[in-house]
């Protein structure tokens, strides 16, 4: 499912074909992988929280029983931890039966994530 007017192509793993694709970033913050050209034509940016809230609200209205959400674009986990936790809270409130929350990320980002105090 895709309900997003933002610029650029949308990419997702085949396993996420039935997921709501929630683009919390546009493009890829890394965008230097020699094997990947998916986001070359899009300037990376972090989406404003208001845009993300509106997309979640629209999805909740149209798909109240949603069971899968995929955080995209190319490196969604580059968001500050507090912002990710806020988005996760919004998703939990809107879709309390989400069993997992997969995301696209550059592997090195996991070493930089910390829980806020």
């Amino acid at each position: 499912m895709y309900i997003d007017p933002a610029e650029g192509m949308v990419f997702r793993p085949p396993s996420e074909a039935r997921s709501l694709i929630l683009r919390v970033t546009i493009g890829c913050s890394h965008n230097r992988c020699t094997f990947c050209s998916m986001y070359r034509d899009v300037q990376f940016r972090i989406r404003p929280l208001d845009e993300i809230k509106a997309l979640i609200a629209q999805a909740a209205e149209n798909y109240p029983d949603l069971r899968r959400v995929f955080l995209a674009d190319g490196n969604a986990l580059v968001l500050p931890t507090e912002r990710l936790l806020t988005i996760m809270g919004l998703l939990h409130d809107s879709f309390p039966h989400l069993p997992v929350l997969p995301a696209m990320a550059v592997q090195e980002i996991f070493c930089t994530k910390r829980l806020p105090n």
Side-chain angles (χ1 to χ4, degrees), residues 16-36:
E16 301 303 326
R18 294 185 178 175
S19 299
L20 171 71
I21 309 302
L22 180 61
R23 296 168 72 197
V24 296
T25 63
I26 303 299
C28 179
S29 64
H30 186 68
N31 214 10
R32 292 183 302 274
C33 298
T34 57
F35 60 85
C36 176

Side-chain angles (χ1 to χ4, degrees), residues 6 16 27-28 31 33 39 41 44 46 48-51 54 56 64 79 84 91 93 102 114-115:
E16 301 303 326
C28 179
N31 214 10
C33 298
Y39 301 102
D41 63 339
F44 175 77
I46 293 175
L49 191 55
D50 288 342
E51 281 183 32
I56 292 170
L79 292 177
L84 285 168
L91 287 167
D93 292 345
R114 302 284 182 262
L115 289 175

Side-chain angles (χ1 to χ4, degrees), residues 38-113:
M38 292 193 303
Y39 301 102
R40 297 280 190 236
D41 63 339
V42 179
Q43 179 71 36
F44 175 77
R45 69 181 175 92
I46 293 175
R47 285 190 102 151
L49 191 55
D50 288 342
E51 281 183 32
I52 295 168
K53 286 179 182 179
L55 290 169
I56 292 170
Q58 183 181 3
E61 185 176 312
N62 293 321
Y63 310 105
D65 298 321
L66 190 68
R67 296 281 187 165
R68 290 196 60 95
V69 174
F70 179 75
L71 296 183
D73 257 355
N75 194 11
L77 297 186
V78 75
L79 292 177
T81 302
E82 288 188 21
R83 169 77 66 95
L84 285 168
L85 291 172
T86 298
I87 292 168
M88 288 177 189
L90 293 167
L91 287 167
H92 176 72
D93 292 345
S94 299
F95 310 106
H97 302 294
L98 285 178
V100 296
L101 187 60
M104 185 113 43
V106 173
Q107 184 176 354
E108 288 80 18
I109 200 74
F110 291 103
C111 297
T112 66
K113 289 290 164 198

